[in-house]
Amino acid sequence: MNEQSLHTDTVNDWITGYLTNSLTPEEMQSLQEWLNTSEENRKYFSDMQEVWIAASDEADNIVFNKERAYQLFLKQTEATTRQNINKHKFFQLRPWMYAAAMIIVVFICGTIAFQSGKRVLRNQLAQITIEAPYGSKTKLYLPDGTLVWLNAGSKMSYAQDFGINERLLDLSGEAYFEVTKNKHIPFKVHTDELDVKVLGTKFNFRNYKDDLEAKVCLLEGKVALNTRQKETILHPDQQALLDKKTGKLSVSGTKAAYSAEWKNDRLYFDEVLLSDIIKELERSYDVKITVADDTLNTVRFYGNFRKREQSIQEIMSVLSSTDKMAYTMNGKNIVITLP
């Protein structure tokens, strides 16, 4: 077996392992590096996915038989490998036959097997969801090597094939990202009101569903923010605040590193709305806070606290010392009133 065949066999083994969910982390990394090498490699991978889809569909149109699909896939990849090795010779001998065959294959796969097979593949490549419950945070690495810290009460989901053809995840809540650079596949974070697109950077993204504002703070690199209205570029030590009610996006300077201090069990509020501070305290200390007067929700506060060293009562005392509010506390129930 020549060097080309050996290389093709290795790549097919990686792709087979990927499609059958049996790749080791090292093999997944090798596959990603191979995909990043050239457009031709990514095209070959897409072709092999379609072969798998067609095999899956042939295996069973109603109940997906993974083992049967796997065997069919191996047979078809062997045929594809032989076709690639003899491709030049085949073109010389029967170019018109090759073109006709390709038209037939594309037509059949595109109109019959692909659509139903794509449904099977989507079911196989299910969404992966990670949640951080109230009172805790979660640290993890995505398949592409990106480091993520997920704050309390947050949820993140991404496709099982994350990092292969795209790097897209959905976020509800707050997360800090240290994105692995990949110029071929941008890293994208989607929320209901605001999207972020980067190539490689460090940033903190906060957008809980019940917050009045979405906030992005950039520590390193450059990101593009997309709302329904426009795109905005953010640079290091800048923060973007999106008023979710009006859709207005404002950019200002900040010490961005403070925005991710929650990873170190610190709570840092830089002119944050009391309504959003309350939600953060509820998530961090697992308490219930009620505001007796709605006018307090528009008041902003500055503060820097250590969760492990300061109790919720100590934090409430500090906030009330500004004479902007008062509070009463009964167990885990807190009521904030006008001073």
Side-chain angles (χ1 to χ4, degrees):
M1 186 176 294
N2 59 34
E3 183 178 349
Q4 180 183 3
S5 298
L6 283 172
H7 177 68
T8 305
D9 288 345
T10 300
V11 170
N12 284 341
D13 287 343
W14 289 341
I15 298 175
T16 303
Y18 165 75
L19 293 170
T20 56
N21 302 322
S22 59
L23 277 187
T24 65
E26 292 78 13
E27 289 170 332
M28 176 63 82
Q29 181 64 32
S30 297
L31 175 60
Q32 289 175 342
E33 292 174 355
W34 179 80
L35 288 169
N36 292 338
T37 301
S38 69
E39 181 62 33
E40 182 181 358
N41 290 351
R42 291 189 288 277
K43 176 65 167 59
Y44 182 80
F45 176 82
S46 296
D47 290 344
M48 290 300 97
Q49 277 188 313
E50 292 192 20
V51 171
W52 167 264
I53 289 170
S56 301
D57 187 65
E58 182 181 341
D60 197 332
N61 284 327
I62 301 176
V63 179
F64 177 60
N65 186 328
K66 185 175 179 179
E67 180 60 30
R68 171 64 176 155
Y70 172 70
Q71 296 301 326
L72 288 168
F73 173 73
L74 289 181
K75 290 180 181 179
Q76 294 191 49
T77 52
E78 288 172 3
T80 302
T81 300
R82 289 194 299 270
Q83 183 187 52
N84 286 340
I85 294 173
N86 298 317
K87 188 174 181 180
H88 182 66
K89 181 178 178 181
F90 192 70
F91 260 112
Q92 288 180 325
L93 294 176
R94 299 288 188 274
W96 64 270
M97 292 176 62
Y98 176 76
M102 286 303 297
I103 292 173
I104 294 172
V105 168
V106 169
F107 177 77
I108 293 175
C109 291
T111 58
I112 303 176
F114 185 72
Q115 291 301 323
S116 56
K118 188 165 61 175
R119 169 182 50 78
V120 175
L121 185 59
R122 279 201 303 267
N123 292 335
Q124 285 299 105
L125 302 179
Q127 288 289 109
I128 296 172
T129 301
I130 301 97
E131 296 187 52
Y134 280 15
S136 68
K137 58 183 180 295
T138 299
K139 177 184 178 182
L140 66 144
Y141 286 91
L142 296 175
D144 68 335
T146 292
L147 169 65
V148 181
W149 283 86
L150 202 61
N151 205 356
S154 302
K155 181 170 69 175
M156 180 180 71
S157 61
Y158 56 89
Q160 185 177 316
D161 61 344
F162 182 93
I164 301 299
N165 292 315
E166 67 175 0
R167 296 191 293 171
L168 171 65
L169 59 84
D170 292 319
L171 173 67
S172 175
E174 182 172 20
Y176 168 76
F177 299 91
E178 292 186 4
V179 179
T180 298
K181 291 183 179 181
N182 186 333
K183 64 181 181 180
H184 302 291
I185 309 177
F187 187 95
K188 301 176 182 178
V189 182
H190 171 73
T191 68
D192 289 341
E193 296 83 8
L194 183 64
D195 293 341
V196 173
K197 176 182 175 181
V198 303
L199 293 176
T201 189
K202 297 180 182 180
F203 67 100
N204 195 78
F205 195 173
R206 177 191 179 104
N207 189 6
Y208 287 97
K209 287 187 179 298
D210 54 353
D211 280 356
L212 299 179
E213 296 177 328
K215 182 178 181 180
V216 179
C217 292
L218 182 61
L219 286 75
E220 293 182 11
K222 185 171 68 173
V223 301
L225 309 179
N226 288 279
T227 66
R228 297 187 182 95
Q229 299 176 356
K230 63 177 182 178
E231 179 177 279
T232 302
I233 301 299
L234 206 61
H235 298 279
D237 279 335
Q238 285 187 330
Q239 69 176 12
L241 284 177
L242 175 68
D243 186 316
K244 294 161 70 170
K245 184 177 181 179
T246 65
K248 181 181 178 181
L249 183 71
S250 59
V251 176
S252 60
T254 186
K255 186 63 176 176
Y258 287 141
S259 67
E261 280 296 290
W262 56 266
K263 299 189 290 86
N264 303 315
D265 287 322
R266 296 180 70 102
L267 297 174
Y268 179 77
F269 305 122
D270 184 8
E271 295 300 312
V272 178
L273 289 169
L274 177 61
S275 57
D276 288 343
I277 292 176
I278 287 172
K279 297 182 184 73
E280 177 66 22
L281 294 176
E282 288 180 327
R283 289 186 285 259
S284 298
Y285 288 94
D286 195 16
V287 295
K288 176 62 177 178
I289 303 176
T290 304
V291 179
D293 193 306
D294 289 341
T295 60
L296 287 168
N297 286 324
T298 59
V299 178
R300 295 180 180 268
F301 288 85
Y302 173 88
N304 192 358
F305 308 100
R306 290 184 177 274
K307 287 200 298 183
R308 291 183 179 179
E309 300 174 9
Q310 293 174 278
S311 66
I312 181 63
Q313 186 169 4
E314 290 175 319
I315 293 177
M316 296 305 299
S317 296
V318 171
L319 294 177
S320 64
S321 68
T322 62
D323 294 328
K324 296 179 179 179
M325 53 160 274
Y327 79 99
T328 58
M329 185 170 180
N330 182 15
K332 287 193 172 185
N333 295 308
I334 301 170
V335 177
I336 296 177
T337 60
L338 290 169

